[in-house]
Amino acid sequence: MHKVLFVAVMVFSNGLSSNGIGLNDTARPKVVKIGALLNFNTTVGKVAKVAIEAAVEDVNNSTILGETKLQVTMQDTENSSFLGMLDALSLMDGETVAIIGPQTSATAHVVSQIADEIHIPMLSFGATDPTLSSLQYPFFVRTTQNDLFQMAAIAEIIDYYGWRDVTAIYVDDDHGRNGIAALGDKLAERRCRISHKAPISPSLSRENIRNELKTANSEESRIFVLLAHADWGLEVFSVAQDNGMTGSGYVWLVTDWLASTFDTNSSISPEAIGGVQGAITLRMHTPDSQQKTKFVSGWSKLTRDKMVNGTGLNTYGLYAYDTVWLLAYGIDAFFKQGGNISFSQDPKVTEQHRGKLKVDEVRIFNGGDLLLHIILQVNTTGVAGPIKFDSDRNLIHPAYEVMNVNGKGFKRIGYWSNYSGLSVVPPETLYTKPPNRSSLSQELESVIWPGQTKQKPRGWVFPENGRQLRIAVPNHVIYHELVSVKGADSFSGYCIDVFTAALSSLPYAVPYKLHAFGNGINKPKISELLQLIEAGVYDAAVGDLAITNNRTRIVDFTQPYVESGLVVVAPVQKLNSNSLAFLRPFTPMMWLVTGIFFLVVGVVVWILEHRVNDDFRGPPKRQIATIIWFSFSTLFFSHKQNTVSSLGRFVLLIWLFVVLILNSSYTASLTSILTVEQLSSPIKGIESLVTSNDRIGFQRGSFAENYLAEEYNIARSRLVALNSDEDYAKALKDGPQKGGVAAVIDERAYIELFLSTRCDFSIVGQEFSKSGWGFAFPRDSPLAVDMSAAILKLSEGGELQRIHDKWLQRSACSSEGAKESINRLHLKSFWGLFLMCGVACLLALLLYLIKILWKFSNYSEDTEPSSRGTSSPGLQTFFSFVSEKEADITSRSKKRRMERTSKKVRGGDESPNCSFGNSNEV
């Protein structure tokens, strides 16, 4: 392509003249020539021509270039890439330093290659094609917004309203194709997609438009994205209106051409305005400023002076005006940095390449690289906002206004910016805050949709091909309460009732037909059914379809209408006939600790009461019997010994509280054991099965097989496929020793139905996987979303529970009372009580010891020196003191003090012979 264009340059440059003048480095030229490539008779071209001429006049009347003036030569490309190339060559005559334009992306793709060859910067205010990149076209500078951002804005609007599939209608040229490709990429980032493309011929054939729209209307999606040229986009709406595609239920998202059309033309027919009612369009956002206000207010005078009365100002006109000023700032900096305007012959153009063609005048702009670099470094503010380029050569702060066509004009419903997404406040306000792209921060005002409705359109319908949805139903072998297939057109069961109830709650009719999947002998494999949905054989599946991770990669499931996970069912034995059932409320450890505490409390109370309470005195055998009797009689609150010490009463009070709790808990647990059926099984759950080598049963076709093999590494040789509930019962009764299974693993919903009539089996352990049942649809199916909402509505209204009770009401065998083991009382449930009692005993003993030591010290001081000798009282003396009754010691101490007092009065030296006496009490 590059070589072809280069040949074209040589052919059509024959006769182009150039004065070949090299300018003095120290002096600026009087005139700097620039060119402009426009489509004069288009909506954008009319406005751009006036804006560029006005900008050149303003630059020449300013002091920015000193004595130098800009001279612009405009060429009308007449919307032709071929003519655009010729016009570009006519401007590249050895004097033009830059070109404003081309106006269209298609022309820019062609002309940019010529500009790259001769180093002339091209500043386009209208070529928005994202593929006009700086890498492929280094001398192309986009001075308007890149369509990449416009497509990002449209994708965010689609995601904001919750739509997933869109139909793209676009002009079939570089601009249209590349724009829609960018839209597809942005939609994919949000898990949306273009489900149908409708390319329109650039020749604008009404018949072609009608055929493409008819095909698009036969698809499911009712979200239409229209990327067109401003001068024939309304023609698409006209045909769409004739086809009935602009009424209620349709959504039209239109690129900025519609806003430009309305802004420029004040004489749009009422029929055309009526056809676009309710559409959402974008307009490039240009912040308010004094410069913009001044330029907009003077626009009417400009159009009168240029003899184009009635032409309104659009955003492309603002960017065209700023492009001239950008170029002026660049040229001024170019001269300040020592640049000069000079041209030289292209060394590639030799006699060998030219042949007989006279292309000697084809010249390269020697300062083109410097001028391009300077232009990209300009940082200023124009009427359209900041003029500054980022690293990708895009203008900074890309933003759009989101407009809703309402009446004869627009209603602005919000903004979009690359900084913070959708909002109802201007982007300039958000630039001062941290960026926030969370879904909760995205916001738009209310919209009047096509058909003058405020209700958001669903965005899709069933295709207009008259085909009913093919709904597959697994043909069950067992559990006909869930799904029962009695004939080609006879289906019943819990799953079928939920499906039909959900469909009835939808705001639209769904044509469908149920088809049995499976032979009714063996349970069909759900994985195969889901693959048929993915292949398009079926449109959906209804039944007991467990939602698993692997399956969600194939299809989309609705909201679960049944919570169901894998459980273990095993044979159980009744335990309530055991003669030792009265021991079951407590675990062995609980019994042991309780017995120890009975004895400990008895000993502590005996210690605290022994010196002051006759009930706790006597011969050793009697005292031991007292301790044991007192301890265990507190269990029934029938102890006959009274406590007289404060510490003894404190300990006994705490202990009686503990006994009360233990007694109440024991009574409640024993009552449950003797009145409620308790079941026992050697299998305690999935853990005990994993560690054993026993065979395990599962329902044939269930996901349980792969789940057990992959998640728990159970050998597949241990897994036994079972077809029916009779197979379940037989395999469980036979057990592993007789070729059966130790347990069966299946989903809870199935097992509850199985147990409803079989009381010899029960669920053991806990449910070890969480899943649910849902209806399956193809990936990204909008019907799956609506059905999920319908299922939630059924659940909130109680209808889902009513259907459940109708089909799946359980009997006593599968009630919550049937458990695999006794809920025994463990020590961990009472350790707080025992700790409290232990602390009370230790505290009482500590206080008692302190009190005894203090009394023993006082008693020792009352002893006569002749009796005490010179040594301290011995340990045997202390124990004798502790063992003796406190009243006797107190009486003897009092008597000694009286005798010493009497001797002091007589002046005698005798001391009474003190002794503890021979008491028979221990």
Side-chain angles (χ1 to χ4, degrees):
M1 179 66 181
H2 181 76
K3 292 182 177 179
V4 172
L5 290 174
F6 182 70
V7 172
V9 170
M10 294 189 294
V11 172
F12 291 103
S13 60
N14 188 26
L16 293 180
S17 62
S18 172
N19 54 18
I21 299 176
L23 301 178
N24 193 318
D25 292 344
T26 59
R28 294 192 178 191
K30 294 295 184 181
V31 175
V32 174
K33 292 185 177 182
I34 60 175
L37 298 176
L38 308 176
N39 299 339
F40 290 169
N41 294 323
T42 62
T43 299
V44 174
K46 293 177 183 178
V47 176
K49 184 174 184 297
V50 176
I52 291 173
E53 291 174 348
V56 171
E57 292 178 8
D58 292 343
V59 167
N60 290 336
N61 291 332
S62 70
T63 59
I64 184 174
L65 293 177
E67 298 297 325
T68 303
K69 304 298 181 183
L70 290 181
Q71 180 180 324
V72 59
T73 302
M74 296 190 181
Q75 298 286 5
D76 184 7
T77 63
E78 300 180 10
N79 202 29
S80 169
S81 298
F82 178 72
L83 293 178
M85 181 181 64
L86 296 181
D87 292 335
L89 289 172
S90 67
L91 294 174
M92 298 173 186
D93 55 359
E95 296 181 349
T96 302
V97 299
I99 294 177
I100 298 175
Q103 178 183 316
T104 65
S105 299
T107 304
H109 275 282
V110 176
V111 177
S112 293
Q113 298 189 56
I114 302 176
D116 295 342
E117 184 68 29
I118 57 179
H119 295 190
I120 292 183
M122 299 185 65
L123 289 70
S124 177
F125 60 88
T128 58
D129 183 354
T131 63
L132 289 167
S133 66
S134 57
L135 295 177
Q136 185 178 5
Y137 306 110
F139 279 84
F140 174 83
V141 180
R142 183 185 288 108
T143 60
T144 187
Q145 298 298 345
N146 190 332
D147 261 352
L148 184 67
F149 302 113
Q150 183 169 205
M151 296 307 149
I154 292 176
E156 290 199 35
I157 293 173
I158 292 169
D159 182 58
Y160 173 78
Y161 286 110
W163 299 315
R164 287 294 172 261
D165 290 356
V166 302
T167 294
I169 305 172
Y170 58 97
V171 58
D172 193 15
D173 60 7
D174 288 341
H175 176 229
R177 288 189 297 270
N178 296 331
I180 292 303
L183 175 62
D185 293 339
K186 293 300 180 181
L187 288 173
E189 293 175 3
R190 301 180 174 275
R191 205 184 170 186
C192 305
R193 62 169 185 157
I194 299 175
S195 59
H196 178 75
K197 294 182 179 180
I200 306 296
S201 172
S203 61
L204 192 59
S205 166
R206 191 176 179 89
E207 185 64 25
N208 171 238
I209 297 175
R210 183 179 294 106
N211 292 336
E212 290 296 338
L213 292 185
K214 182 179 179 180
T215 303
N217 200 38
S218 65
E219 301 293 327
E220 286 187 3
S221 175
R222 285 295 179 266
I223 312 299
F224 297 109
V225 177
L226 178 57
L227 174 58
H229 294 310
D231 298 283
W232 59 266
L234 290 177
E235 186 70 17
V236 176
F237 272 104
S238 175
V239 177
Q241 188 174 21
D242 293 342
N243 291 351
M245 298 172 61
T246 58
S248 179
Y250 289 86
V251 176
W252 287 87
L253 301 175
V254 187
T255 52
D256 58 1
W257 66 263
L258 183 58
S260 298
T261 301
F262 271 65
D263 291 340
T264 306
N265 302 325
S266 58
S267 58
I268 300 177
S269 66
E271 293 78 12
I273 295 177
V276 297
Q277 289 297 304
I280 293 180
T281 186
L282 299 179
R283 173 197 283 156
M284 288 183 287
H285 175 65
T286 55
D288 294 332
S289 63
Q290 292 183 350
Q291 293 174 269
K292 177 182 174 181
T293 302
K294 181 179 179 181
F295 184 72
V296 172
S297 61
W299 181 256
S300 297
K301 182 177 184 301
L302 284 175
T303 55
R304 287 196 303 270
D305 294 344
K306 304 298 181 182
M307 305 298 291
V308 285
N309 290 340
T311 301
L313 176 63
N314 56 45
T315 53
Y316 286 99
L318 298 177
Y319 282 108
Y321 183 85
D322 283 349
T323 300
V324 176
W325 278 94
L326 168 64
L327 184 57
Y329 283 117
I331 293 174
D332 177 58
F334 174 78
F335 287 132
K336 288 180 179 179
Q337 294 186 27
N340 71 316
I341 299 177
S342 63
F343 297 86
S344 60
Q345 185 175 349
D346 188 347
K348 296 179 182 179
V349 181
T350 63
E351 289 292 338
Q352 181 179 0
H353 290 97
R354 295 198 308 268
K356 297 182 179 180
L357 298 177
K358 297 180 180 180
V359 291
D360 297 48
E361 293 80 6
V362 175
R363 307 282 178 165
I364 294 177
F365 178 30
N366 296 327
D369 293 283
L370 176 61
L371 180 58
L372 174 66
H373 175 75
I374 291 174
I375 288 173
L376 294 175
Q377 302 303 313
V378 170
N379 184 4
T380 185
T381 301
V383 296
I387 304 176
K388 183 180 179 181
F389 297 96
D390 61 18
S391 58
D392 294 326
R393 294 192 181 183
N394 293 314
L395 290 176
I396 63 171
H397 299 324
Y400 289 85
E401 298 175 7
V402 185
M403 317 294 289
N404 178 214
V405 181
N406 190 4
K408 295 183 179 180
F410 295 110
K411 171 192 173 185
R412 185 170 56 212
I413 60 173
Y415 302 87
W416 178 90
S417 68
N418 194 45
Y419 186 76
S420 56
L422 300 171
S423 68
V424 294
V425 297
E428 296 76 41
T429 305
L430 301 176
Y431 292 149
T432 60
K433 303 177 181 179
N436 185 1
R437 300 301 294 267
S438 69
S439 58
L440 296 178
S441 68
Q442 305 301 293
E443 184 180 4
L444 291 175
E445 295 179 4
S446 60
V447 177
I448 304 297
W449 301 101
Q452 297 298 304
T453 177
K454 291 185 177 181
Q455 183 178 2
K456 185 196 76 172
R458 188 171 73 246
W460 65 278
V461 296
F462 291 100
E464 296 182 356
N465 52 20
R467 184 177 67 85
Q468 294 178 322
L469 295 182
R470 291 175 53 85
I471 310 295
V473 178
N475 192 355
H476 257 295
V477 181
I478 55 176
Y479 306 129
H480 296 292
E481 297 91 340
L482 299 173
V483 174
S484 177
V485 180
K486 298 180 180 179
D489 298 315
S490 179
F491 298 84
S492 62
Y494 171 67
C495 300
I496 303 299
D497 280 7
V498 173
F499 177 71
T500 55
L503 283 183
S504 300
S505 65
L506 296 179
Y508 51 87
V510 178
Y512 71 95
K513 182 177 178 58
L514 299 178
H515 298 267
F517 177 75
N519 55 19
I521 301 175
N522 296 317
K523 180 177 179 179
K525 291 186 177 180
I526 302 302
S527 58
E528 294 180 358
L529 172 57
L530 300 183
Q531 290 172 0
L532 292 177
I533 295 177
E534 183 183 31
V537 177
Y538 294 110
D539 299 298
V542 173
D544 48 331
L545 310 176
I547 304 173
T548 65
N549 182 48
N550 290 335
R551 292 177 178 179
T552 56
R553 299 173 184 174
I554 303 175
V555 296
D556 280 348
F557 285 94
T558 62
Q559 169 78 16
Y561 61 90
V562 168
E563 296 295 334
S564 181
L566 292 177
V567 294
V568 178
V569 61
V572 292
Q573 296 177 348
K574 298 180 180 179
L575 297 177
N576 58 356
S577 60
N578 195 325
S579 60
L580 299 178
F582 68 92
L583 293 177
R584 286 194 222 136
F586 289 165
T587 61
M589 181 58 69
M590 181 68 181
W591 279 118
L592 177 62
V593 173
T594 302
I596 291 174
F597 262 84
F598 269 107
L599 296 176
V600 168
V601 171
V603 172
V604 171
V605 172
W606 176 82
I607 293 173
L608 299 176
E609 295 288 325
H610 176 66
R611 301 185 71 248
V612 296
N613 193 338
D614 290 337
D615 291 340
F616 290 88
R617 298 187 66 81
K621 291 182 180 181
R622 179 186 171 188
Q623 293 184 52
I624 293 174
T626 299
I627 291 173
I628 296 175
W629 170 256
F630 176 82
S631 298
F632 288 98
S633 63
T634 57
L635 178 63
F636 310 101
F637 303 96
S638 60
H639 50 284
K640 64 180 182 179
Q641 292 83 2
N642 294 321
T643 53
V644 296
S645 68
S646 299
L647 291 176
R649 290 175 177 176
F650 168 70
V651 171
L652 184 60
L653 178 65
I654 298 297
W655 174 244
L656 290 179
F657 174 73
V658 174
V659 169
L660 175 64
I661 300 299
L662 293 175
N663 200 358
S664 301
S665 301
Y666 175 86
T667 303
S669 180
L670 183 61
T671 302
S672 175
I673 291 172
L674 297 178
T675 58
V676 179
E677 181 182 58
Q678 302 294 332
L679 304 177
S680 175
S681 171
I683 298 173
K684 305 304 179 184
I686 184 63
E687 292 80 9
S688 61
L689 282 176
V690 172
T691 57
S692 71
N693 292 320
D694 295 334
R695 285 151 53 95
I696 304 171
F698 68 93
Q699 184 182 172
R700 187 182 298 277
S702 170
F703 73 94
E705 179 183 12
N706 290 332
Y707 185 85
L708 294 173
E710 295 172 3
E711 297 295 329
Y712 288 92
N713 295 320
I714 297 177
R716 293 184 184 270
S717 59
R718 293 177 54 195
L719 302 177
V720 180
L722 303 173
N723 280 326
S724 65
D725 49 358
E726 287 80 8
D727 292 344
Y728 280 17
K730 184 179 184 304
L732 288 171
K733 288 180 179 179
D734 291 344
Q737 294 77 14
K738 297 182 181 181
V741 296
V744 169
I745 294 179
D746 207 345
E747 296 180 68
R748 177 177 287 275
Y750 296 134
I751 295 303
E752 288 177 350
L753 288 173
F754 172 73
L755 295 178
S756 63
T757 57
R758 294 173 175 84
C759 301
D760 296 335
F761 313 105
S762 179
I763 296 174
V764 296
Q766 301 295 321
E767 188 174 302
F768 61 91
S769 76
K770 293 293 184 181
S771 62
W773 291 352
F775 304 133
F777 291 88
R779 293 296 299 270
D780 301 320
S781 171
L783 187 56
V785 179
D786 289 356
M787 286 293 287
S788 293
I791 290 172
L792 288 175
K793 183 178 178 181
L794 292 178
S795 178
E796 293 171 357
E799 181 66 15
L800 200 59
Q801 185 62 43
R802 188 193 65 78
I803 300 174
H804 179 276
D805 294 341
K806 172 186 174 183
W807 291 98
L808 306 178
Q809 189 67 41
R810 294 176 292 168
S811 67
C813 287
S814 58
S815 64
E816 290 297 326
K819 299 181 180 178
E820 48 83 19
S821 64
I822 303 172
N823 291 324
R824 312 183 77 179
L825 300 175
H826 295 266
L827 178 62
K828 64 181 180 181
S829 302
F830 298 93
W831 72 268
L833 285 174
F834 288 123
L835 177 63
M836 179 179 64
C837 184
V839 170
C841 291
L842 290 175
L843 180 62
L845 289 175
L846 178 61
L847 294 176
Y848 178 76
L849 179 61
I850 294 172
K851 179 181 177 182
I852 286 297
L853 290 174
W854 177 76
K855 287 185 177 183
F856 180 68
S857 175
N858 292 336
Y859 175 78
S860 298
E861 291 176 357
D862 291 339
T863 304
E864 289 295 331
S866 60
S867 298
R868 291 185 282 129
T870 58
S871 60
S872 300
L875 186 62
Q876 184 178 359
T877 304
F878 175 74
F879 282 122
S880 297
F881 174 80
V882 173
S883 177
E884 192 170 3
K885 190 173 181 179
E886 186 173 351
D888 294 342
I889 294 177
T890 303
S891 176
R892 191 161 44 250
S893 296
K894 183 177 181 181
K895 181 179 179 180
R896 287 173 179 168
R897 285 194 298 271
M898 290 178 65
E899 289 176 352
R900 282 198 301 269
T901 302
S902 173
K903 285 184 178 183
K904 288 180 180 180
V905 172
R906 292 197 306 265
D909 296 326
E910 290 184 76
S911 297
N913 187 18
C914 299
S915 64
F916 288 118
N918 297 321
S919 175
N920 294 327
E921 295 181 336
V922 178

